[in-house]
Amino acid sequence: MQKMIFKNKNRITLISGILIIIAFISHFGFKNELLFELLLIIASILGVLPIAIQAYQSLRVKVVSIDVLVTIAVIGAFLIQEYEESAIVTFLFLFGAYLEHRTLNKTRSAIKELISLAPETALKLMDTGGFEEVEIEDVDVNDILLVKTGSKVPVDGKVITGEGYVNQASITGESFPVHKLIGSMVFAGTILENGTLQIQADRVGEDTTFGKIIELVEEAQDSKSDAERFIDRFSKYYTPVVLLLALIVWLISRNIELAITILVLGCPGALVIGVPVSHVAGIGNGASHGILFKGSEVIQDFSKVDTIVFDKTGTLTIGNPEVSEVIAYTDNQEDVLTYLLSIEKESDHPLSKAIIQFVGERKVVDVNKTDVVKGGGIRAQIDGLDILVGNHSLMKRENVQLSQSMLEDIDRLEMKGNTIVLVSINRELQLLLGIKDQIRPNVKEDLIKLRKMGVKKLILLSGDNQTTVEIVAKELNLTDAYGNMLPEDKAHFIEQLKKKGEIVAFVGDGVNDSPSIALAHIGIAMGSGTDVAIETSNVVLMNSNFSRLVHALGLTKATTSNMIQNIVIAIGVVLFLLFNVFFSEWMNMSIGMLVHEGSILVVIMNGMRLLNYKLRR
Amino acid sequence: MQKAVIQLDTLTCPSCALKIEGAIKSLDGINKESVSVLFNSSKVKVEFDESIVNVDVIGQAISKLGYDVLKTNVK
């Protein structure tokens, strides 16, 4: 019986709506008062059933829910023979609930879409030797799975046979297909665009990178901010208070109609739903733009940020140094490059990578002896030649003579933000290389936007030398820049800023910067959703697109103000209704319920606007 | 102790969450601390003692309140 009523709630709503319409037609059209009252009585009884059952259920678990208030009000109206009121109020309440259900689903749609990317089945190698389609829950670590063209990779695992191109947009935000060969890692939720793979499962279900992302977003949308916790506690006591208030009004005024009107007006609907709606829409918008917020608290903190601290390499710059300029002081450049490559191949310095890449494939010669000179470079011997590869101070120390024009070249390249590498043979300078890490495209414009949004200080911290750091800072017009910083120095620096009362965000690439990311009020990890990044940070920018940061900040500000709007609407409506019930003639239960349900829809619609939030260019 | 994740049909009012929480906590064999009803994702997470209660009983307690249980997952 109960189940049937719940199942047919929508039908009940519809029927009671139709009954009310017929009732009014017979009232105004045919002046048939008996039919009018009879139809309204049926509509009231039908409509109050599902509400009353829910009220009873909630009282059983000691919760005074809105249903309780409405049920009492309707029964009261019924007893004083206000059938018109009782019928309309139940209908509006049910219809409102139906609309809320529909619109709320909309606000949650962005996150639902993300979840729908999760794989549900897999082709698993069975004991019989064939592949069979199984539920994703039935896949265990080390199972062998077949992935066909166009299907989703079901787990995190390693390719054991075959090759193909995989679109990893769901994990990295980067939709350019990645080539996967035997031994490559593949990730759950990514899509095999062509080829066929057999993979061995490493991590399954919630342990996969994608599973963690989903869990994170799901937890985030239901994590509660202080404001929400307050409203929760508030609404727990609010409904009983309304009940009590109505009772007192009735005892004093002996006016049942006034008392039950207060019951209806006092429903806290818009207030309790307004804040969560803003949050879920905001977090949903973020998720569909590759920004993961770890909870509602983060949104509020981030919207108030006044200092953003950046790591340099990999954050502001691409993190892949390249040789930008070469000047030769010899006719024998080819031999020098061969020597240089032979020496650099033995080093694992980041600059060596850039040089090896620049010189390209060529035959190497035997290096007889190499010494690493700390803070300087490398000294090597090839075929009896004494070769130095390193910075300016190494050349000075080794008494390599530099002409005036050579010194001018060095200055010029340094001013452009290059790190200088010099090569000399037998104390004569042969080659000058300028190596530069490119600043990410559009970073400058993005930083200007961040300032416009109210960020006061932009600070750069880097392990790189002070000159390079300052050049980047100058080019990007940063507030401050500090070089030669170890990870613990950065963390210490963040702590100092926090002590000064600033709200600090730290943006880094997630692995070596994790102490700072954890310490800052808002730790932001840029990168491709690595485990460390997901765990220590508050915000994850899914692919390394810097402009996401601007979107993220704008979104938190929009979400926070949306939330405030909703609170204002909700409280405003309750005050308006209560005022009118005492000081106006036209207020009654039906109008109260109409305004009330209307305000709930208004806050949901208002929250929904956040789903379409985009940065104005 | 087993842990269950129960997916419900869309929850529309935060007080529904309170009701469900109350109903589950009133069952025997439930780790009361662990009960969390996620309003936005319409999910219930709960730990329970499998020798006293099982996930079907929990599911029934919820559907008796008028909320459909779509999927349960125990581990």
Side-chain angles (χ1 to χ4, degrees), chain A residues 2-3 6 54-55 57-58 60-61 63 65-67 97 100-101 104-105 108 112 137 206 215 218-219 221-222 232 235-236 272-273 276 280, chain B residues 3 5 7 9-16 18-20 22-23 26 37-43 45 63-68 71 73 75:
Chain A
Q2 247 183 48
K3 258 209 165 130
F6 282 136
Q54 294 217 333
Q57 299 283 15
S58 73
R60 265 190 35 183
V61 293
V63 177
S65 66
I66 302 175
D67 314 280
E100 280 159 36
H101 187 102
L104 262 179
N105 268 338
R108 294 167 180 165
K112 283 241 172 72
E137 285 85 12
E206 283 176 10
E215 210 183 338
E218 277 198 342
E219 299 268 330
Q221 63 171 346
D222 277 302
D232 270 6
S235 60
K236 220 178 201 164
V272 288
I273 212 155
V280 75
Chain B
K3 196 181 162 194
V5 180
Q7 178 71 55
D9 198 9
T10 316
L11 297 178
T12 47
C13 57
S15 70
C16 310
L18 276 180
K19 264 193 265 177
I20 294 171
S26 70
V37 182
L38 306 179
F39 170 59
N40 280 311
S41 42
S42 309
K43 267 188 188 172
K45 292 189 178 173
S63 52
K64 243 170 64 186
L65 292 175
Y67 306 101
D68 281 341
K71 200 174 165 189
N73 196 351
K75 59 176 169 186

Side-chain angles (χ1 to χ4, degrees), chain A residues 163-202:
Chain A
E163 61 175 297
Y165 286 85
V166 175
N167 182 335
Q168 306 200 122
S170 60
I171 302 285
T172 63
E174 174 61 64
S175 58
F176 194 78
V178 184
H179 193 190
K180 299 286 183 183
L181 298 161
I182 291 173
S184 309
M185 279 295 290
V186 287
F187 300 97
T190 60
I191 295 166
L192 183 62
E193 293 202 330
N194 72 51
T196 307
L197 303 175
Q198 277 187 29
I199 60 173
Q200 184 162 29
D202 261 357

Side-chain angles (χ1 to χ4, degrees), chain A residues 372-392:
Chain A
V372 174
V373 185
K374 214 174 172 222
I378 302 171
R379 175 194 286 134
Q381 292 209 325
I382 299 175
D383 288 345
L385 298 173
D386 192 8
I387 303 178
L388 295 168
V389 180
N391 58 18
H392 193 176

Side-chain angles (χ1 to χ4, degrees), chain A residues 283-296:
Chain A
I283 289 173
N285 177 303
S288 59
H289 284 88
I291 303 160
L292 305 183
F293 293 107
K294 275 202 193 170
S296 358

